[in-house]
Amino acid sequence: MKIGTKCVQGGYTPGNGDPRQIPIIQSTTFKYATSEDMGKLFDLEASGYFYSRLQNPTCDTVAAKICELEGGTAAMLTSSGQAASFYSIFNIASCGDHIVSSSTIYGGTYNLFAVTMKRMGIEFTFVSPDCTEEELNAAFKENTKAVFGETIANPALNVLDIEKFANAAHSHGVPLIIDNTFATPVNCRPFEWGADIVTHSTTKYMDGHGSGVGGCIVDSGKFDWTKYSDKFPGLCTPDDSYHGVTYTERFGLEGAYITKATAQLMRDFGSIQSPQNAFLINLGLESLHLRMKRHCENGLAVAKALEADSRVSWVNYPGLESSRDYALAQKYLPNGSCGVVSFGVKGGRAAAEKFMKNLKIGAIETHVADARSCCLHPASATHRQMNEDELIAAGISGDLIRFSCGIEDAEDLIADIKQALDNI
C-alpha cells in the first residue's frame, strides 16, 4: 500500500461484524479464566493484555499503524514525545554509558539529555549536524551506546545527513535513533537511509489538532544487537527482573528492543499512552498525508514572502533554494519538509517579541505542527533553560521566531505576518 492508504487503513483490519473504527478499550485490567493463563502473560510466553500500564489494545493498534507508516517491525506508544526520547535511550544505556547526539535538537530533549539523564550517569556529547565525518567519529567513546538526531531540527530546521550519521554509528557498533516528528513518515522514512530506531512526538503533526499528547517508538528490526552483545547486555543476556528471559533469543531482532522497552521500562515508569488519546491520534493519522501537503505548501509560501520582506533579517526553511540545507532537503525530503519556518526580524529580540504580539491568526503557543498556525520565541520558552553558548550550539538566536504554518489559506497567513511587521 502507498503511504496515504496506510494512513487511512493501516494497523487495524476489522473482521465480520467488528467496529469499523478502532475501539477505545478504556479498561485498566483484563479478565482471565485461570492463574495459569495469566502466568503465561507474565512469563512472556503468550500474547495478550493484563494491565494497561504496560499495554492496551487501542494503543497497540495505533502503534501498529505508525509502525507500518515507518516501515518498522515493532512499535509502542508512550505518554509523550519526551517519554519516547527517554525510553529510546534508556532502553539500551545505563549509568556509566555515553551517547552521541546532534546539538540542534528540541530544547526539552536537550535538557533531558544534558541535565536529567546526566544525573542518572549517562554522558552525552553534542556535535554539530554540519560536522565533518572526522569530527563525528572523534565524538565516540568505548562506552558509546547510540547516536541521536532529528530529521528536521526543532526549531533550527537543520536537515540531518542521516546517511552520514548512520554510517558513523554503525562503524562503531551502535544504532542511530532519529526523531522524525517534523518530517513524519509521509515526507521521510529514516529507516530507508540507515536509521535503526525512530521516535515521534505524536502530539504534533500526527495528532494535528492539539487534542492529545503522545509519543511513539518504532524499531526497524535491522540492528544486530547480538553482534555487539557485550555493548547491549540488557537485550542479549537474561533479564532477572523478568523470569530470566533473553529478549533477542525469545523475540528475535525484530521484536527484542520494543518488547524490552515494554516489559521493563513501561512496567517500571508507566508512561503509557491513554486509550482515548491513542484514538484521537488515529483520527489525525487518517488525514496526515493530506495535511502534510498543505502544511508544506503554506510553509514554502510563507518562507518566500518573508525572504522578500526587507524588514526580515534572515529566513531558514529547508525548501528555500537559499537554505544551507537545501541539497540535503532535496535528498531526504523531496516531497516537502514541514510547515515550520524559522526567521529573524530586524531589531532583534525586542522586535521579535513585539511582532508576535501583533499577530492575529498565528497564536503564541508552546506548540507546533498543528492544523492552526502558531508561533513561538524559543529563546524565551522551549529553550529558556539554555545559556548563550548552548543556544548558539542549538542554532537558536535571540531573534529567532518559530512560525508553524497551519492549513489555513496561505494568503491570509502572509497578510497576518505583514500587518504584524507593519506594527512593530
Side-chain angles (χ1 to χ4, degrees), residues 224-266:
D224 191 349
W225 309 104
T226 60
K227 185 178 179 180
Y228 309 100
S229 57
D230 58 325
K231 282 181 176 287
F232 306 105
L235 287 163
C236 302
T237 59
D239 178 4
D240 293 334
S241 74
Y242 229 105
H243 316 291
V245 64
T246 299
Y247 295 100
T248 50
E249 291 180 2
R250 179 75 63 85
F251 303 100
L253 299 181
E254 295 80 6
Y257 179 89
I258 293 296
T259 303
K260 178 179 179 292
T262 302
Q264 264 190 14
L265 303 187
M266 196 63 81

Side-chain angles (χ1 to χ4, degrees), residues 336-359:
S337 54
C338 63
V340 182
V341 182
S342 290
F343 64 99
V345 176
K346 289 182 179 177
R349 185 167 186 157
E353 293 175 346
K354 190 168 184 181
F355 164 83
M356 291 171 60
K357 292 177 182 177
N358 293 335
L359 289 169

Side-chain angles (χ1 to χ4, degrees), residues 294-341:
R294 181 59 172 258
H295 283 297
C296 292
E297 289 173 352
N298 283 356
L300 184 59
V302 166
K304 287 181 176 179
L306 287 166
E307 192 173 45
D309 198 305
S310 60
R311 296 165 294 183
V312 175
S313 53
W314 59 271
V315 183
N316 187 19
Y317 183 73
L320 289 175
E321 292 185 19
S322 59
S323 169
R324 62 185 177 184
D325 290 328
Y326 182 74
L328 287 173
Q330 293 303 297
K331 175 180 178 178
Y332 295 115
L333 306 155
N335 297 319
S337 54
C338 63
V340 182
V341 182

Side-chain angles (χ1 to χ4, degrees), residues 138-157:
F140 287 82
K141 300 181 180 182
E142 286 294 321
N143 59 340
T144 300
K145 294 299 179 70
V147 179
F148 186 95
E150 295 177 355
T151 309
I152 305 173
N154 174 17
L157 298 183

Side-chain angles (χ1 to χ4, degrees), residues 114-149:
V115 179
T116 303
M117 296 189 77
K118 183 179 180 180
R119 291 184 186 136
M120 302 170 74
I122 301 174
E123 180 189 1
F124 286 79
T125 296
F126 296 94
V127 297
S128 168
D130 302 322
C131 65
T132 64
E133 291 183 10
E134 292 75 17
E135 290 169 334
L136 179 55
N137 283 303
F140 287 82
K141 300 181 180 182
E142 286 294 321
N143 59 340
T144 300
K145 294 299 179 70
V147 179
F148 186 95

Side-chain angles (χ1 to χ4, degrees), residues 84-275:
S85 296
F86 173 66
Y87 279 18
S88 71
I89 298 292
F90 202 63
N91 200 35
I92 51 177
S94 58
C95 183
D97 288 334
H98 173 257
I99 307 293
V100 175
S101 174
S102 170
S103 61
T104 54
I105 56 176
Y106 166 59
T109 309
Y110 180 90
N111 194 67
L112 169 68
F113 291 171
V115 179
T116 303
M117 296 189 77
K118 183 179 180 180
R119 291 184 186 136
M120 302 170 74
I122 301 174
E123 180 189 1
F124 286 79
T125 296
F126 296 94
V127 297
S128 168
D130 302 322
C131 65
T132 64
E133 291 183 10
E134 292 75 17
E135 290 169 334
L136 179 55
N137 283 303
F140 287 82
K141 300 181 180 182
E142 286 294 321
N143 59 340
T144 300
K145 294 299 179 70
V147 179
F148 186 95
E150 295 177 355
T151 309
I152 305 173
N154 174 17
L157 298 183
N158 300 81
V159 177
L160 193 74
D161 191 341
I162 300 174
E163 280 193 314
K164 179 178 76 174
F165 276 73
N167 290 337
H170 296 159
S171 69
H172 292 273
V174 300
L176 173 62
I177 303 171
I178 292 290
D179 182 332
N180 198 33
T181 297
F182 268 21
T184 81
V186 171
N187 287 338
C188 183
R189 284 157 53 103
F191 293 154
E192 296 175 0
W193 299 101
D196 302 290
I197 297 156
V198 160
T199 66
H200 285 276
S201 170
T202 60
T203 317
K204 310 305 189 298
Y205 286 123
M206 286 187 169
D207 175 285
H209 302 88
S211 58
V213 176
C216 186
I217 309 173
V218 185
D219 183 13
S220 70
K222 296 178 180 178
F223 189 82
D224 191 349
W225 309 104
T226 60
K227 185 178 179 180
Y228 309 100
S229 57
D230 58 325
K231 282 181 176 287
F232 306 105
L235 287 163
C236 302
T237 59
D239 178 4
D240 293 334
S241 74
Y242 229 105
H243 316 291
V245 64
T246 299
Y247 295 100
T248 50
E249 291 180 2
R250 179 75 63 85
F251 303 100
L253 299 181
E254 295 80 6
Y257 179 89
I258 293 296
T259 303
K260 178 179 179 292
T262 302
Q264 264 190 14
L265 303 187
M266 196 63 81
R267 174 197 67 193
D268 295 340
F269 292 102
S271 301
I272 188 70
Q273 174 70 264
S274 78

